[in-house]
C-alpha cells in the first residue's frame, strides 16, 4: 500500500478555482474502481490550506490516478498560479489498520 499526504496553501484569489479543479478531478476519480484507492481532500481552518490524502493499493493504480487529465490540469494550475509557497509531500508507512482490506 502507498499512502501520501500533500499539504499546500493557496493564494486567496485562487481558492474558488482550486475548489472547482478538485471537484472536477474527484468526479473523474469516481468513475474508476474505488476498491483500489482512496482519495480525500481536506481544508484547514484558515480556508487557504488544503490537505490531500491518498491511499493506493499499488503503484499501478497510483500511476493511473496521477495521469488522469483533470488531475494533471489541477496540478498545473495550482503550481503555476495558485500556490502560496511550496507544497509539502509526505509518504506514510502503514503500521496498523482496522480495515482488513488495506
Amino acid at each position: 500500500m502507498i499512502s501520501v499526504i500533500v499539504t499546500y496553501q493557496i493564494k486567496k484569489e485562487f481558492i474558488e478555482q482550486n475548489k472547482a479543479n478538485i471537484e472536477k478531478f474527484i468526479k473523474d476519480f469516481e468513475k474508476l474502481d474505488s476498491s483500489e484507492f482512496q482519495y480525500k481532500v481536506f481544508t484547514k481552518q484558515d480556508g487557504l490550506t488544503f490537505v490531500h490524502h491518498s491511499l493506493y493499493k499499488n503503484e499501478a493504480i497510483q500511476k493511473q490516478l496521477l495521469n488522469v487529465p483533470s488531475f494533471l490540469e489541477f496540478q498545473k494550475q495550482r503550481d503555476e498560479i495558485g500556490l502560496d509557497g511550496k507544497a509539502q509531500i509526505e509518504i506514510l508507512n502503514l503500521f496498523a489498520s482496522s480495515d482488513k482490506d488495506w
Side-chain angles (χ1 to χ4, degrees):
M1 184 198 45
I2 302 164
S3 178
V4 181
I5 294 178
V6 178
T7 306
Y8 59 91
Q9 195 166 45
I10 287 296
K11 296 173 186 171
K12 202 171 207 173
E13 62 272 13
F14 191 74
I15 290 173
E16 294 309 314
Q17 184 61 50
N18 196 58
K19 288 179 179 179
N21 291 344
I22 291 169
E23 289 172 0
K24 185 173 182 180
F25 79 72
I26 290 292
K27 283 182 183 178
D28 289 340
F29 284 6
E30 289 172 350
K31 298 173 188 171
L32 303 172
D33 180 3
S34 64
S35 69
E36 297 292 311
F37 70 95
Q38 293 178 8
Y39 200 102
K40 299 175 187 331
V41 181
F42 304 88
T43 57
K44 291 192 176 183
Q45 288 182 331
D46 65 7
L48 299 172
T49 304
F50 288 76
V51 180
H52 295 233
H53 183 218
S54 53
L55 294 167
Y56 310 99
K57 284 204 172 176
N58 55 51
E59 286 183 36
I61 189 64
Q62 181 186 31
K63 187 175 183 176
Q64 182 182 356
L65 261 67
L66 296 179
N67 284 296
V68 168
S70 58
F71 184 75
L72 292 170
E73 183 60 26
F74 149 76
Q75 286 186 310
K76 181 177 187 237
Q77 287 187 29
R78 179 200 63 193
D79 293 352
E80 290 179 1
I81 50 179
L83 273 183
D84 187 8
K86 292 181 92 178
Q88 178 184 357
I89 301 171
E90 300 172 88
I91 307 297
L92 305 176
N93 296 309
L94 180 65
F95 173 72
S97 174
S98 64
D99 185 346
K100 300 302 179 204
D101 291 336
W102 288 89

